Amino acid sequence: MAFQTIKGTHDILPEDSTSWQKLEHIIHDVAARFGYSEIRTPIFEDTSLFSRSVGEDTDIVSKEMYTWQDRSGGSITLRPELTAPVARAFIQHNLGRKSPLQRMYYMGPLFRRERPQKGRQRQFHQFGIEAFGSKFPEQDAEIIAIGYIIFSKLGLKDLSLKLNSLGSGECRSHYKKALQDYFNPLKNQLSETSQKRLESNPLRILDTKNPDEQTLLAEAPSIADFWSEDDQKHFSHVQDLLSSLEIPFELDSRMVRGLDYYTRTTFEFISSNLGAQDAVCGGGRYDGLVETLGGKPTPAIGFAAGMERILMSIDPQEKSTEGNSVYLINLVESASGKALQVANEIRELGFAVTMDTLRRSLKAQLRDANRIGAIKVVIMGDEEIKNQTLQIKDLTTGEQEEIAESDLVKHFVV
Ligand code: HAM
């Protein structure tokens, strides 16, 4: 039997990697313009890093992690998300002491053993942005603006921003209690999953897709009623800043997010052309996480976006790149050394040069040049070698001209 990728994992084939590189380039560029530096952390970490931060009762920790016992006895997990590893690195390397504000971003693969479907893989990629050190609303607005700018630059269609505040720690525990008080008398109308969640993590019930439960939710208490005065002030300031940046948003008091570390502002960018897995990006404040993991109390906020979902929601036309590709055809075996040299000279001028190494016919090589979208073909045959000339065919106009070899640079630079 021929080997296949493991269920829920995918190859990124050469024909698709240009779109990935373009996306990565925009992320590096925008992050740098906002003063964020890249951080790269290991693919696997101590299991308890995730159970302590993301939360034991979340789907991610209770069902979806790839975890194994290491030979030395410790429990290791393939990272299911990157906020906890970045917070771990922040504490481990004392980054808070180096600068009161640490702005970082990342890209890379993550692993969750979910049921695979469109837009949901078991190995997927995220890019994310995290800022440690500021508790103020302008930091929230900056983080959301970075996402908005990246998605706009990419031409993401039908995108909406949902915004909520989960309040500070105390607000959340009061809200949890209120939800339990509300749902306990209705317990037998809840699904088995929601009944379990009612005990451990009642906020997760708000995420239900079950229509009967959604009806019950209509009358359920809202988190907004549990915000402290400071929570409320912070949240309305964030909204004012987003309005002044002309970033449209909708308030959604039922949006709870699937990870336990959030406090105050939470948000998601939703794309309506993605189907059931419609969240392109999710994030929020996690002012208590650094302390939970053993660091000094440090306010922080960030987001992560699914790179496969981004690429799925970009118009295919947006994915094409401008061509600077040249195809060099050498038909004279004894001149292959010279042909390799000419190819390098053209590359030095900033072009991508492809050469045939199968010694195919002129016709076959011209077909190949068209296939890869070359803009020009340089042809070296017996006559050209003898006369120290080159034939140059412009594939965009179909015109062909002969130039002296010595005019090569002049031809490509003008
Ligand atoms: P998350 O909402 O779990 O948040 O994931 C963020 C994004 O990753 C999702 O909106 C989605 O686009 C993508 N994603 C998640 N799971 C999958 C999957 N199985 N297949 C494909 N794409 C997926 C976090 O991970 C937080 N660490 C975000 C964060 C950063 N909060 C603060 N800072």
Side-chain angles (χ1 to χ4, degrees):
M1 190 196 77
F3 289 111
Q4 301 271 322
T5 44
I6 306 281
K7 189 175 173 194
T9 69
H10 295 276
D11 296 311
I12 296 170
L13 296 174
E15 67 211 43
D16 296 322
S17 58
T18 318
S19 312
W20 279 82
Q21 287 169 353
K22 189 177 164 199
L23 171 60
E24 287 160 7
H25 176 78
I26 290 179
I27 295 162
H28 286 302
D29 183 52
V30 175
R33 282 170 202 241
F34 276 85
Y36 284 68
S37 308
E38 189 179 5
I39 179 162
R40 300 183 190 193
T41 62
I43 297 287
F44 52 84
E45 300 263 2
D46 215 315
T47 302
S48 52
L49 171 66
F50 301 110
S51 43
R52 259 215 264 164
S53 54
V54 175
E56 296 276 5
D57 295 326
T58 58
D59 285 351
I60 294 178
V61 172
S62 65
K63 313 197 269 222
E64 296 169 0
M65 295 201 306
Y66 286 94
T67 296
W68 72 96
Q69 211 59 28
D70 194 41
R71 279 166 202 251
S72 59
S75 179
I76 307 269
T77 291
L78 291 183
R79 59 192 197 186
E81 65 102 55
L82 264 158
T83 308
V86 172
R88 194 251 325 121
F90 176 84
I91 300 164
Q92 181 176 339
H93 304 286
N94 236 322
L95 298 182
R97 210 189 297 149
K98 293 185 181 145
S99 156
L101 202 54
Q102 277 291 333
R103 295 176 150 126
M104 295 183 259
Y105 75 101
Y106 52 77
M107 273 182 244
L110 289 304
F111 307 86
R112 294 184 192 175
R113 202 180 184 292
E114 296 191 79
R115 198 167 40 79
Q117 64 178 95
K118 183 174 168 246
R120 190 160 72 189
Q121 292 96 246
R122 291 181 171 177
Q123 176 174 339
F124 61 100
H125 296 77
Q126 283 182 347
F127 83 87
I129 304 265
E130 316 283 357
F132 293 80
S134 169
K135 62 179 181 183
F136 296 112
E138 39 278 41
Q139 187 62 69
D140 305 39
E142 177 182 273
I143 290 284
I144 295 173
I146 296 175
Y148 185 75
I149 287 171
I150 290 178
F151 302 141
S152 309
K153 262 186 184 271
L154 288 164
L156 248 72
K157 302 271 175 327
D158 309 314
L159 209 62
S160 58
L161 167 62
K162 290 195 170 169
L163 198 63
N164 192 17
S165 170
L166 296 181
S168 43
E170 209 170 292
C171 149
R172 196 151 149 171
S173 55
H174 289 156
Y175 183 49
K176 235 171 158 169
K177 169 88 177 42
L179 281 178
Q180 281 167 332
D181 290 347
Y182 172 77
F183 279 116
N184 263 326
L186 309 168
K187 200 169 171 177
N188 49 14
Q189 295 179 50
L190 294 177
S191 65
E192 207 181 311
T193 321
S194 292
Q195 287 190 13
K196 271 194 217 137
R197 286 175 168 167
L198 183 55
E199 296 305 318
S200 53
N201 200 351
L203 267 73
R204 306 283 316 136
I205 301 176
L206 303 186
D207 258 355
T208 182
K209 301 269 185 282
N210 175 327
D212 296 335
E213 291 183 344
Q214 282 176 340
T215 317
L216 295 179
L217 277 176
E219 300 291 317
S222 162
I223 184 107
D225 298 329
F226 296 83
W227 293 334
S228 69
E229 213 182 303
D230 279 350
D231 292 338
Q232 201 153 6
K233 249 171 62 192
H234 182 95
F235 194 40
S236 58
H237 196 167
V238 172
Q239 293 175 54
D240 290 346
L241 293 171
L242 292 178
S243 301
S244 61
L245 286 170
E246 295 181 18
I247 298 177
F249 60 87
E250 292 160 33
L251 296 181
D252 182 355
S253 65
R254 304 268 179 240
M255 189 189 63
V256 286
R257 312 268 307 116
L259 306 95
D260 279 355
Y261 48 61
Y262 291 112
T263 52
R264 294 201 163 162
T265 316
T266 49
F267 59 94
E268 283 183 355
F269 282 92
I270 305 291
S271 169
S272 59
N273 63 16
L274 275 181
Q277 300 305 316
D278 58 359
V280 171
C281 154
R285 269 203 171 272
Y286 47 94
D287 291 343
L289 180 61
V290 173
E291 198 179 1
T292 306
L293 295 177
K296 294 205 184 83
T298 309
I301 178 165
F303 72 75
M307 294 172 77
E308 284 84 359
R309 290 190 196 173
I310 291 177
L311 290 170
M312 276 167 59
S313 48
I314 296 177
D315 196 327
Q317 280 166 357
E318 303 272 351
K319 291 185 190 170
S320 66
T321 49
E322 311 92 64
N324 72 338
S325 169
V326 172
Y327 201 96
L328 192 140
I329 300 179
N330 170 38
L331 301 167
V332 184
E333 245 178 78
S334 60
S336 54
K338 184 172 187 175
L340 289 165
Q341 240 173 14
V342 171
N344 276 347
E345 277 172 45
I346 306 173
R347 289 186 188 111
E348 284 294 316
L349 301 172
F351 293 86
V353 183
T354 305
M355 274 181 75
D356 177 85
T357 52
L358 292 172
R359 300 191 176 173
R360 284 179 288 186
S361 68
L362 173 65
K363 205 169 141 202
Q365 292 194 48
L366 279 171
R367 211 181 304 126
D368 204 29
N370 275 306
R371 184 187 63 82
I372 66 161
I375 48 164
K376 283 188 182 180
V377 180
V378 178
I379 304 166
M380 293 167 57
D382 282 322
E383 280 300 299
E384 287 77 24
I385 301 289
K386 201 164 71 198
N387 301 333
Q388 301 200 333
T389 57
L390 298 163
Q391 294 289 334
I392 311 241
K393 188 175 167 78
D394 187 325
L395 289 186
T396 53
T397 61
E399 278 165 27
Q400 186 161 326
E401 62 175 314
E402 184 170 275
I403 63 160
E405 243 180 65
S406 52
D407 283 343
L408 182 73
V409 172
K410 204 164 88 193
H411 176 87
F412 276 98
V413 168
V414 207

